[in-house]
């Protein structure tokens, strides 16, 4: 009860009149003609995004324009990129950057559009129409993982050198946080930045670095202070990737997300000026944590479209594939299962939109965002596994989208905040996490 | 040399990638909940108009659309691509279904006169009705020269040199302005509406009008009797030799 009241009062606080009218029509039961979902080709798509609580016509226009770029500049090449195990980040990011899509929420002083987070979510949802997980993930690192802290806390000089070209698509960014011995346990990273006059000397290594083999700079998290206070001794540093001492040791051979290059990187006495520290020294960990909510919501948003697509593709396939004299789809277990999974997608979408609405109204949505991340990783595995079964032998080949997404989306429960970490967060909010 | 004022017509049609389905009552196609976008040839027309503006040959690009309220989305895309303002002539759903090129041509000519337009740019045809009539009718109503199926437009001191794609190849003509031009596929490749421009377009004026504002009647003068799917393609036959083919053709009375 309390939650609903808080939620509704927050909706009223939203300045956007369109949100208010949507609230009235949805919660006060005025007639909103909800157009029935139809798949893109045969089964249509939700052309009724306008009725969604966090979107207005601007979001739809953004999505339509982005869709054109995806259809013409990205999707035709995805199969080849997957085969090559590499996609040309520079080229793709430049195309997106020129159209303004890499700086949606970034400050206008540096080429961004200064829009609110709902536009990031709209963009993430549209990126889900790319026929692989690797490219949206790489774009997400550029827009929502490597750059938010810089945009919020970096000096003007740093922003001009690193943020501006990342927004225009001239620079490829990567995020250097995870290490071989520290993924979920970020506080335990070993990479050190020792002070030497006006410079920092970086020693250590990073692991699982998306865009790592192509990046021009890295947003690096390193220990720069006393060993004792693990949450207060780290700094975020803008590290140009062409400095001597940086070695791209390995391009990791992964089960999925194959067109996205993931690197293991070593630092040996890498010298970087202390002025490259983003914001205050020692605040790196806190800065990085501030954007966790957005990262988790992004992960959920990117999954909605591909999961929807797989349901429709599976319906299409099982309609024409016959066994024992009739289409597979006419078996109740199959069409009922698809309906169950479609329900789950809408539940995830509702959780996502509600969380986003609360977030842009200024609330702390850590618990709900963690739930979004947890649910999206698990739903992706469940849904794609169920659908793949109905594809039979075809589902097991590398010629179909469902098998690629099966491999790609297994990562969601692991990266960007493992399921177990999300569960711990939720337990904390329930006050049931052992001290 | 003064800069020209350009009027560009755009139509909201079912997106080219959508699989069209006939309605159960066989009186039309399913449009509810189906993805719509700007007619591709109209996008090309808008792009050409904006390029004229960038070359400083045009001073203002006005986008025009007639149809139901949703047509405003199309106009907003036109403004996001660079059109300066838009005019929407509201025609409700029922009347829009029976709207014909002659109605649109009458509206276009009235708007062109009111707005003192020098160049009317249209797509050569809409991908839903494939009429390929509006440009020609508009030119006739205004008694202006027309250059249809344009694949290249060059400025020539108060006239335009237009290369047209015709059945026999390419034809180059010179048209004095004011004129009506219809865009063909190879005229240009339309730009993406960038996000900054989408945001800027929100501030651009969009005038809402009715056909009566221009003294034009849009009553239906046709009635759709039936809409059907094209016949299912029959299987062909594989033949071994050219001789067999000639025999079959002779037997079928084709030669």
């Amino acid at each position: 009860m309390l939650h609903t009241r808080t939620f509704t009062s927050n909706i009223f606080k939203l300045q956007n009149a369109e949100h208010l009218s949507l609230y009235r029509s949805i919660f006060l039961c005025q007639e909103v003609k909800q157009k029935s979902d139809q798949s893109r080709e045969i089964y249509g798509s939700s052309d009724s995004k306008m009725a969604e609580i966090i979107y207005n016509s601007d979001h739809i226009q953004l999505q339509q324009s982005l869709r054109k770029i995806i259809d013409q500049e990205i999707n035709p090449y995805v199969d080849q990129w997957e085969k090559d195990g590499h996609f040309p980040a520079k080229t793709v990011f430049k195309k997106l950057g020129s159209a303004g899509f890499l700086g949606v929420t970034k400050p206008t002083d540096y080429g961004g559009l200064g829009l609110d987070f709902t536009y990031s979510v709209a963009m993430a949802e549209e990126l889900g129409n790319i026929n692989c997980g690797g490219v949206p993930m790489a774009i997400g690192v550029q827009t929502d993982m490597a750059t938010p802290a810089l945009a919020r806390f970096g000096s003007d000089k740093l922003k001009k050198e690193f943020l501006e070209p990342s927004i225009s698509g001239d620079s490829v960014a990567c995020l250097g946080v995870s290490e071989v011995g520290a993924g979920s346990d970020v506080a335990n990273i070993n990479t050190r930045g020792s002070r030497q006059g006006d410079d920092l000397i970086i020693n250590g290594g990073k692991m699982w670095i998306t865009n790592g083999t192509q990046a021009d700079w890295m947003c690096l998290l390193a220990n720069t202070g006393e060993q004792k206070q693990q949450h207060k001794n780290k700094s975020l540093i803008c590290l140009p990737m062409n400095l001597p001492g940086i070695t791209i040791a390995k391009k990791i051979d992964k089960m999925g997300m194959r067109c996205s290059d993931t690197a293991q990187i070593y630092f040996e006495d890498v010298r970087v000026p202390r002025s490259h520290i983003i914001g205050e020294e020692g605040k790196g960990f806190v800065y990085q944590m501030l954007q966790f909510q957005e990262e988790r919501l992004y992960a959920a948003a990117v999954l909605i479209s591909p999961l929807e697509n797989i349901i429709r593709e599976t319906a299409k396939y099982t309609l024409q594939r016959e066994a024992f004299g009739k289409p597979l789809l006419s078996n109740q277990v199959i069409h009922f299962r698809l309906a169950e999974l479609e329900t789950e997608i809408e539940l995830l979408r509702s959780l996502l939109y509600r969380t986003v609405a609360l977030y842009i109204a200024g609330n702390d949505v850590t618990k709900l965002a963690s739930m979004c991340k947890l649910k999206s990783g698990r739903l992706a595995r469940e849904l794609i596994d169920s659908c793949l079964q109905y594809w039979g032998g075809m589902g097991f080949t590398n010629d179909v989208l469902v098998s690629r997404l099966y491999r790609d989306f297994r990562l969601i429960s692991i990266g960007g905040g493992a399921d177990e970490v999300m569960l711990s967060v939720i337990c904390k909010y329930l006050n049931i996490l052992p001290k | 040399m003064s800069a020209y004022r350009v009027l560009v017509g755009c139509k909201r049609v079912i997106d080219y990638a959508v699989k069209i389905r006939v309605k159960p009552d066989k009186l039309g196609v399913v449009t509810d909940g189906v993805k719509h976008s700007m007619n591709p040839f109209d996008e090309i027309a808008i792009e050409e108009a904006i390029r004229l503006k960038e070359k400083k040959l045009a001073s203002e690009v006005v986008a025009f659309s007639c149809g139901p309220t949703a047509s405003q989305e199309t106009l907003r895309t036109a403004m996001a691509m660079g059109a300066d303002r838009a005019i929407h002539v509201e025609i409700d759903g029922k009347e829009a279904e029976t709207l014909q090129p002659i109605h649109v041509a009458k509206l276009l000519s009235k708007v062109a006169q009111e707005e003192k337009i020098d160049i009317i740019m249209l797509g050569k045809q809409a991908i839903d009705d494939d009429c390929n009539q509006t440009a020609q009718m508009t030119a006739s109503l205004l008694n202006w020269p027309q250059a249809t199926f344009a694949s290249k437009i060059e400025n020539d001191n108060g006239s335009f040199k237009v290369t047209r794609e015709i059945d026999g190849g390419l034809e180059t003509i010179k048209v004095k302005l004011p004129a009506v031009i219809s865009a063909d596929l190879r005229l240009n490749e339309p730009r993406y509406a960038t996000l900054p421009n989408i945001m800027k377009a929100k501030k651009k004026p969009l005038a809402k009008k009715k056909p009566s504002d221009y003294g034009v009647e849009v009553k239906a003068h046709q009635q759709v009797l039936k809409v059907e799917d094209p016949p299912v393609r029959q299987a062909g036959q594989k033949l071994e030799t050219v001789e067999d083919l000639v025999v079959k053709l002779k037997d079928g009375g084709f030669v």
Side-chain angles (χ1 to χ4, degrees), chain B residues 17-73:
Chain B
V18 170
K19 189 168 172 198
I20 307 289
R21 286 178 296 144
V22 177
K23 281 201 301 217
D25 62 12
K26 295 215 177 203
L27 289 174
V29 298
V30 177
T31 55
D32 252 1
V34 169
K35 181 169 183 209
H36 285 66
S37 17
M38 193 192 299
N39 184 37
F41 294 108
D42 299 347
E43 275 182 3
I44 297 174
I46 295 259
E47 173 66 26
E48 197 62 23
I50 295 165
R51 288 189 190 186
L52 285 178
K53 205 171 86 158
E54 285 168 351
K55 285 187 219 155
K56 306 265 197 282
L57 290 168
S59 59
E60 198 185 22
V61 174
V62 183
F64 166 93
S65 191
C66 52
T69 317
S71 298
Q72 290 177 16
E73 289 167 18

Side-chain angles (χ1 to χ4, degrees), chain B residues 172-210:
Chain B
T172 308
I173 60 172
K174 185 162 151 173
V175 273
K176 280 213 189 84
L177 300 179
V180 178
I181 304 178
S182 82
D184 209 324
L185 193 64
R186 278 161 279 273
L187 180 57
N188 61 49
E189 212 179 293
R191 62 194 62 193
Y192 299 123
T194 68
L195 207 41
N197 286 338
I198 291 175
M199 291 298 135
K200 272 190 218 138
K202 297 192 339 159
K203 302 198 187 91
K204 294 184 181 174
L206 195 160
K208 297 181 192 153
K209 303 271 195 182
K210 292 189 301 291

